[in-house]
Amino acid sequence: EAKTSGRNAVRFFDPAMQTLIESRAVIEADLREDIAQKNFLLYYQPQVDDDGRLIGAEALTRWPRAVQKPPSPDEFISVAENSGLIIPLGEGVLETACSQMAVWANDPALAGLTIAVNVSGLQLHHPSFVDRVRETIEATGANPNLLKLEVTESFEISNIEEVIAKMTALRKLGIRFSLDDFGTGYSSLSYLKRLPIDQLKIDKSFVRDVMSNPNDAAIAETIIALGDTLGLSVIAEGVETEAQRAFLAARGCRVYQGYLFARPMPAKQFAQFATLFSRTKPANETPRLSRREA
Ligand code: C2E
Ligand code: MG
Ligand code: MG
Ligand code: MG
């Protein structure tokens, strides 16, 4: 069939392509409407240290789309980035996370936890990003020392000096930076040295087969060593088994996030999770997260 249509055939109508285009347009329209109405939720996924202590959470956006099946976060974030909607969506996310942090500051089980918020490269390039973050922190009363911004390694930096200046300004407020999905992008080492970041986040694609794939193991090991050399903390995402955690720990990884500990959950449930955890810790011992039951 492909042969008979010939190499000069011009296909005006590709049903699969048409569906893709339509669904993107529909998603974009629905996104726009739901952003205006603030119909988004944040879920929180625990981050755990070497001693099994709960040290924070990553805020992950969920779209409880009313009429149609919601696309995955990877899909709708990509639509938001391509349409510019990531700017208002990202502002809403930051506002929600900071308001939540201010509430949690009054609860001993939650008060010291670091909350990580994903930030798109487009947000970082937006001229008023630093001001908006500062205003959001002031308006909500969130503690900036407990706020971490996750920026993906693959984001395109069109002006490195500008990005460095913005990150430096935010770090002066106490905010920290984590380089998300590390290993999947293309940052050079000199570039990495210049960005004022605090943490590297090993992408889950390397963690998944770290036990069975020597290349993935070598990459994970190299990232951990790199973090060590540059004085950055290293967190592994997508940790699903105790074997993966132990493997990474043996190579010097100190912080983890993944289904082994808990899936992302609504704020209320996360608060219960943290409270239960802080209550059940042994009196004179390092509190330890029950990995299987979490
Ligand atoms: P990410 O920032 O790398 O977040 C980690 C993703 O891995 C999340 O997917 C999380 O649910 C998932 N994950 C966590 N532990 C495990 C595990 O053990 N196994 C597996 N297989 N997956 C695990 P999620 O929530 O679907 O989000 C996907 C991506 O969407 C995020 O990747 C992030 O890039 C983007 N995203 C989500 N919320 C936001 C947001 O508010 N702003 C921006 N800019 N991006 C966001
Ligand atoms: Mg992230
Ligand atoms: Mg990631
Ligand atoms: Mg990702």
Side-chain angles (χ1 to χ4, degrees):
E1 231 243 278
K3 277 209 174 106
T4 54
S5 60
R7 74 160 68 108
N8 294 323
V10 176
R11 303 180 73 189
F12 288 104
F13 183 74
D14 179 333
M17 189 60 78
Q18 190 66 20
T19 309
L20 190 71
I21 291 165
E22 272 173 5
S23 70
R24 283 225 148 198
V26 170
I27 290 168
E28 187 183 323
D30 284 5
L31 257 183
R32 190 180 304 276
E33 171 124 13
D34 277 334
I35 289 168
Q37 298 185 6
K38 299 194 185 291
N39 286 337
F40 284 87
L41 292 172
L42 283 189
Y43 274 32
Y44 296 85
Q45 186 179 31
Q47 296 186 339
V48 175
D49 79 3
D50 213 26
D51 296 317
R53 275 183 299 234
L54 177 66
I55 57 170
E58 177 178 13
L60 292 155
T61 298
R62 294 293 179 264
W63 185 14
R65 196 183 189 192
V67 275
Q68 306 225 42
K69 184 179 175 282
S72 72
D74 275 319
E75 288 172 298
F76 72 73
I77 293 293
S78 149
V79 173
E81 286 179 332
N82 289 317
S83 59
L85 288 171
I86 193 67
I87 300 299
L89 176 60
E91 284 175 358
V93 166
L94 191 68
E95 203 180 294
T96 305
C98 287
S99 302
Q100 191 63 75
M101 288 170 73
V103 172
W104 284 346
N106 302 311
D107 182 332
L110 292 142
L113 301 180
T114 296
I115 302 300
V117 175
N118 291 284
V119 163
S120 163
L122 288 169
Q123 287 175 266
L124 207 50
H125 278 295
H126 193 271
S128 54
F129 181 68
V130 173
D131 289 337
R132 290 315 309 270
V133 173
R134 191 185 288 120
E135 284 161 14
T136 305
I137 282 169
E138 281 166 10
T140 57
N143 179 354
N145 298 304
L146 294 175
L147 178 62
K148 187 161 70 179
L149 300 181
E150 292 195 2
V151 185
T152 51
E153 191 213 353
S154 58
F155 85 103
E156 281 175 49
I157 296 189
S158 56
N159 185 342
I160 179 109
E161 300 300 337
E162 182 203 304
V163 167
I164 290 172
K166 285 179 173 177
M167 289 173 77
T168 304
L170 292 169
R171 277 177 107 226
K172 280 193 185 133
L173 301 179
I175 295 169
R176 278 164 291 169
F177 284 89
S178 183
L179 212 44
D180 206 350
D181 303 342
F182 193 74
T184 64
Y186 26 71
S187 56
S188 71
L189 295 182
S190 64
Y191 185 88
L192 191 63
K193 203 181 82 179
R194 295 187 60 202
L195 285 179
I197 53 167
D198 306 272
Q199 185 176 63
L200 302 177
K201 195 166 190 183
I202 305 174
D203 189 67
K204 58 179 179 292
S205 63
F206 306 118
V207 173
R208 192 183 52 221
D209 298 324
V210 79
M211 305 296 297
S212 57
N213 184 326
N215 292 333
D216 289 343
I219 290 168
E221 216 165 322
T222 303
I223 294 172
I224 295 165
L226 185 62
D228 209 36
T229 304
L230 296 174
L232 307 171
S233 88
V234 176
I235 178 170
E237 72 173 13
V239 179
E240 295 186 357
T241 69
E242 170 55 26
Q244 290 167 342
R245 192 207 60 81
F247 186 96
L248 293 161
R251 280 149 188 85
C253 190
R254 294 286 168 259
V255 193
Y256 315 90
Q257 179 183 338
Y259 297 167
L260 172 64
F261 306 99
R263 294 191 174 241
M265 59 189 108
K268 252 193 193 147
Q269 202 182 316
F270 179 74
Q272 287 165 359
F273 179 91
T275 304
L276 191 69
F277 170 69
S278 72
R279 283 210 193 112
T280 51
K281 74 185 173 197
N284 259 332
E285 232 179 77
T286 314
R288 233 184 139 76
L289 197 64
S290 165
R291 291 193 177 104
R292 288 295 162 196
E293 290 145 20

